[in-house]
Amino acid sequence: MHEIKESFDVKLAEDEKYYVPDEKYRRTSWIGDYQRRYDEFLADPDAFWNDIAEELDWVRHWDRVLEWNYPYAKWFVNARLNITSNCLDRHVASDRRNKAALIWRGEDGTERVYTYQKLLTEVIHFANGLKKVGVSKGDRVCIYMPMVPEQAIAMLACARIGAVHSVVFAGFGETALNMRITDAQAKIVITADISIRRGKAIPLITIVKEAILNAPSVEHLVILRRRREPPVEMRPDFELDFYELMRNGGADCPPEAMDAEDPLFMLYTSGSTGTPKGVVHTCGGYMVGTYYTSKYVFDLKENDIYWCTADPGWITGHSYIVYGPLIVGATVFISEMTLDYPDPGIWWRLIEEQRINIFYTAPTAIRTFMKLGEAWPEKYDLSSLRIIGSVGEPLNPEAFEWYYHVIGKDRCPIVDTWWQTETGMQMITTMVGEPMRPGFVGKGIPGVVADVVDKDGASVPLGSGGFLVIRTPWPAMFRTIYNNDERYRQYWETIPGVYTAGDLAVKGTDGYIMVIGRSDDIIIISGHNIGTAEVESALVSHQAVAEAAAIGKPDPLKGNSIKAFVILRVGNAPSEKLKKDLMYHVRMTIGPIAVPQEIAFVEKLPKTRSGKIMRRVLKAQEMGVDPGDISTLEE
Ligand code: PRX
């Protein structure tokens, strides 16, 4: 069972502040009247999803929309499809053939444009290349790449032939990468020699080489060689050049007809205990869910240029850079640029230059810009923006106001979207045209039954807090945790009958939902998930550490930061140097996002009588608040 914390009291000052978007948004949006659409969905959920799925191309029609055998769902039963036919071939066969699918901007200013035709051609060649080196349907392929178009090409090529991709964010360190490769038993790792950040080349390949030392499943490394002089050397037979593989692949690669329930990809996310979980998504439902939300939540129109600042290494990039927008047939802008390099105006300059219409980013970025000041965005013409989005962590009212006024110019609706790696698609938001309430994400989108409940699953009254749950299945829901179905069931059994998201939330008097934060031992830092268990195990893998506990502390920019409490092994003395060593060690093992900002050397950690670390007590002590019930504390 997942451990969920006790219910909590909320003292919510109900601020009745709303921003009402211009009437034209509701009149012209795909969603139209939110409530009417929601009621249509409730009246007949199968018909609702059926009609959306009918907008896409299928090889074989489904016999039934949903087979729900709690907690297992089958969506679009017995249907056959290939998601890349919908991302690419469908558009190539239409007026969109010459439309820009991807516009990429590299850090050095290089721009590359892929039309739908060009993208399809490259995906086909690369897919054939993968086949030639022995990748077939069902094989797992790990993709560990920087934000370059080849990353999306590699993902789509896997999907074309039915191989299951497992993208690992290129900021992860060697131990984290090794764990993900070995858990998935990946046959191939696709990577690049370097990634470029703030003008510096970061050697990815050295991390990969360390990570595959103890990964016997790996048969080949495919390397995108970005550095020309001198190009990285390749180990014959084992290492293959990305473009050579592509050149050797033929020009014909019919899309594999996948069962709707065949896996499309897996993506690791942190758990509150143990190692990260390989969240498994399937072809049919994920396609329908990401298509529907891309179209309706972002209200994507034919001529829009859309920019999501996430990295495809996270679920946001999977669903809202690669799959969803391409299924809709949109033009997607991708940039390798960090938000403040070469200067903090770069993102706004890109919006001006590219005439971006829809912009999707994270609260941590918004708060960073707030700190940098309004002068930067004010230098640029942001009038092309129509809708601005947020994802990954709570968009606090101050950040909402700033985003709304300074970036959206009091004109653009904000879609603050709540969802998760596990949900695959956006679930709760304020749909375009609806009144927005700072601090509140909004309500379940048509198709999603979201609620806030107490420990027993009873709906809390309006104006109170509890656990965020989803009551009914949705198409893009994950189907299992790779090789660990028990962990999948926990999501549905923690509070019987519903999907427990692991977040604490408040239901406002108007039914709008405010997400407060995690209810478990996951820390969200700059919108990225890290389990306390992962940080602790990285720390104890250092020879000087006997025991460690990690907690999240509120941070004005990042949402949270990590503080670690460390008990040293006999013979090691606390020092500033050792703190630095430990930070470096965590950076190398998991990656920069998991590095504790503070480390305290302690003699003892608060534990339950059964020996579990009570992080709650550490956190309360840190924050100077009452630790609550400590009757289980050891002493
Ligand atoms: O705590 C919630 C937070 O991010 C968690 C999911 O993280 P991950 O699987 O990495 O996916 C992030 C991108 C979809 C959630 O359990 N979260 C995500 N979006 C929001 C949010 N918290 C508040 N408001 C949001 N809009």
Side-chain angles (χ1 to χ4, degrees):
M1 265 300 143
H2 267 198
E3 195 192 345
I4 53 177
K5 308 230 158 107
E6 304 301 312
S7 305
F8 65 103
D9 286 331
V10 262
K11 308 239 173 349
L12 186 67
E14 284 260 359
D15 183 355
E16 297 290 338
K17 185 169 186 182
Y18 294 88
Y19 286 104
V20 182
D22 192 293
E23 184 18 57
K24 75 165 191 265
Y25 275 99
R26 186 194 280 237
R27 216 175 42 240
T28 61
S29 68
W30 286 114
I31 193 76
D33 183 338
Y34 162 80
Q35 195 56 50
R36 191 176 57 82
R37 290 287 287 184
Y38 201 92
D39 294 342
E40 274 169 22
F41 152 68
L42 275 188
D44 191 345
D46 283 9
F48 176 87
W49 288 114
N50 184 81
D51 290 352
I52 292 161
E54 292 284 6
E55 294 177 24
L56 299 171
D57 285 354
W58 301 78
V59 181
R60 185 191 184 280
H61 199 272
W62 47 96
D63 297 332
R64 249 198 296 164
V65 172
L66 170 66
E67 204 176 281
W68 178 228
N69 183 13
Y70 164 84
Y72 299 104
K74 281 189 180 157
W75 282 89
F76 308 104
V77 182
N78 295 329
R80 293 211 163 249
L81 73 136
N82 188 287
I83 197 165
T84 69
S85 306
N86 284 285
C87 292
L88 302 168
D89 308 64
R90 196 164 70 95
H91 309 308
V92 167
S94 78
D95 290 349
R96 297 195 186 112
R97 180 173 172 224
N98 294 324
K99 177 175 175 174
L102 300 180
I103 303 175
W104 176 79
R105 183 66 79 89
E107 248 215 7
D108 62 358
T110 317
E111 187 165 297
R112 276 152 68 188
V113 179
Y114 289 79
T115 61
Y116 273 95
Q117 177 65 69
K118 182 174 156 80
L119 188 58
L120 174 63
T121 305
E122 302 227 335
V123 166
I124 284 181
H125 277 88
F126 194 70
N128 276 330
L130 287 176
K131 275 190 189 164
K132 276 204 171 152
V133 293
V135 180
S136 49
K137 184 177 168 183
D139 286 342
R140 272 83 54 217
V141 172
C142 172
I143 301 175
Y144 182 72
M145 294 182 91
M147 261 171 94
V148 287
E150 289 85 349
Q151 185 187 28
I153 291 170
M155 291 165 74
L156 291 163
C158 289
R160 187 83 175 172
I161 62 176
V164 178
H165 59 70
S166 163
V167 181
V168 178
F169 173 59
F172 277 116
E174 59 199 47
T175 308
L177 177 59
N178 173 272
M179 180 262 135
R180 285 160 175 76
I181 293 172
T182 49
D183 186 69
Q185 291 289 292
K187 205 168 176 180
I188 304 274
V189 178
I190 306 173
T191 187
D193 51 356
I194 51 168
S195 77
I196 300 171
R197 246 173 132 70
R198 296 197 162 89
K200 284 205 198 85
I202 300 159
L204 281 190
I205 193 73
T206 44
I207 299 174
V208 178
K209 288 192 174 171
E210 284 294 320
I212 60 169
L213 282 181
N214 289 311
S217 65
V218 178
E219 293 173 13
H220 292 289
L221 274 190
V222 179
I223 307 172
L224 173 72
R225 290 194 285 181
R226 304 180 79 189
R227 202 182 68 203
R228 299 267 168 258
E229 291 306 329
V232 317
E233 282 187 31
M234 313 273 277
R235 198 173 114 197
D237 301 328
F238 180 67
E239 293 172 4
L240 311 160
D241 177 83
F242 190 97
Y243 277 99
E244 215 166 281
L245 195 76
M246 196 184 261
R247 266 192 301 278
N248 294 338
D252 185 32
C253 181
E256 185 77 34
M258 305 294 285
D259 187 277
E261 285 298 316
D262 279 335
L264 171 64
F265 68 84
M266 49 200 284
L267 183 61
Y268 285 87
T269 191
S270 295
S272 50
T273 54
T275 52
K277 305 179 270 197
V279 171
V280 177
H281 282 287
T282 55
C283 296
Y286 179 81
M287 173 173 81
V288 173
T290 54
Y291 164 71
Y292 161 66
T293 44
S294 295
K295 178 169 166 180
Y296 288 86
V297 173
F298 294 128
D299 196 38
L300 276 172
K301 300 283 166 52
E302 198 59 50
N303 284 327
D304 282 332
I305 304 180
Y306 160 86
W307 181 18
C308 164
T309 66
D311 186 296
W314 307 108
I315 191 68
T316 305
H318 281 62
S319 300
Y320 300 109
I321 294 179
V322 181
Y323 290 110
L326 293 183
I327 301 171
V328 175
T331 295
V332 180
F333 176 67
I334 309 180
S335 152
E336 200 183 14
M337 309 269 193
T338 318
L339 58 79
D340 58 357
Y341 183 86
D343 65 54
I346 180 65
W347 281 15
W348 316 122
R349 184 151 83 237
L350 289 171
I351 290 179
E352 175 182 287
E353 275 176 29
Q354 302 285 335
R355 308 303 296 153
I356 301 291
N357 306 106
I358 295 155
F359 178 66
Y360 193 32
T361 194
T364 189
I366 298 166
R367 290 190 296 259
T368 305
F369 287 124
M370 283 171 74
K371 200 180 93 181
L372 293 165
E374 292 171 21
W376 286 106
E378 269 160 15
K379 278 191 185 175
Y380 300 97
D381 174 8
L382 306 180
S383 63
S384 59
L385 289 175
R386 199 176 88 240
I387 292 164
I388 52 182
S390 175
V391 61
E393 51 183 317
L395 180 63
N396 48 304
E398 299 72 27
F400 180 103
E401 298 278 346
W402 191 89
Y403 200 29
Y404 187 73
H405 300 303
V406 180
I407 305 305
K409 311 287 181 207
D410 294 6
R411 183 174 49 76
C412 302
I414 293 182
V415 283
D416 175 9
T417 57
W418 178 91
W419 58 295
Q420 305 176 299
T421 305
E422 294 86 341
T423 69
M425 67 183 221
Q426 296 157 338
M427 304 289 280
I428 306 174
T429 192
T430 302
M431 302 286 297
V432 164
E434 292 303 303
M436 293 161 281
R437 190 165 181 203
F440 289 76
V441 271
K443 299 181 180 178
I445 64 171
V448 170
V449 187
D451 200 0
V452 182
V453 303
D454 65 19
K455 269 179 112 169
D456 305 315
S459 235
V460 301
L462 295 177
S464 36
F467 304 102
L468 183 59
V469 301
I470 308 294
R471 291 199 172 277
T472 58
W474 63 99
M477 59 190 269
F478 67 138
R479 300 298 197 271
T480 190
I481 296 297
Y482 193 74
N483 275 340
N484 201 337
D485 197 56
E486 170 62 27
R487 284 181 100 178
Y488 170 78
R489 285 199 307 273
Q490 284 172 359
Y491 287 89
W492 291 92
E493 288 168 0
T494 302
I495 298 173
V498 297
Y499 170 80
T500 301
D503 281 341
L504 296 172
V506 170
K507 194 160 37 170
T509 45
D510 52 6
Y512 277 45
I513 292 171
M514 170 190 276
V515 178
I516 307 220
R518 298 291 309 179
S519 65
D520 55 12
D521 287 320
I522 288 175
I523 311 173
I524 308 224
I525 302 150
S526 303
H528 304 314
N529 274 355
I530 287 295
T532 48
E534 281 169 273
V535 181
E536 290 160 5
S537 91
L539 285 167
V540 297
S541 72
H542 189 281
Q543 48 83 21
V545 177
E547 265 193 279
I551 59 164
K553 273 177 77 170
D555 179 282
L557 280 187
K558 297 190 286 183
N560 290 288
S561 68
I562 301 174
K563 175 159 185 178
F565 299 85
V566 168
I567 303 180
L568 292 175
R569 287 182 188 220
V570 189
N572 293 280
S575 70
E576 283 307 308
K577 158 96 176 38
L578 183 54
K579 272 189 197 172
K580 295 245 160 60
D581 287 353
L582 293 177
M583 289 178 185
Y584 182 74
H585 180 72
V586 176
R587 172 181 291 265
M588 295 319 280
T589 355
I590 316 179
I593 45 173
V595 175
Q597 191 156 314
E598 286 173 75
I599 293 180
F601 295 111
V602 294
E603 300 285 321
K604 257 186 166 181
L605 288 168
K607 286 188 186 165
T608 60
R609 271 173 233 118
S610 59
K612 278 207 256 170
I613 297 171
M614 292 184 83
R615 298 183 189 87
R616 178 164 63 83
V617 173
L618 285 171
K619 187 159 177 169
Q621 186 184 308
E622 195 62 31
M623 315 279 301
V625 298
D626 175 18
D629 178 14
I630 48 165
S631 57
T632 56
L633 195 64
E634 206 175 25
E635 58 191 67

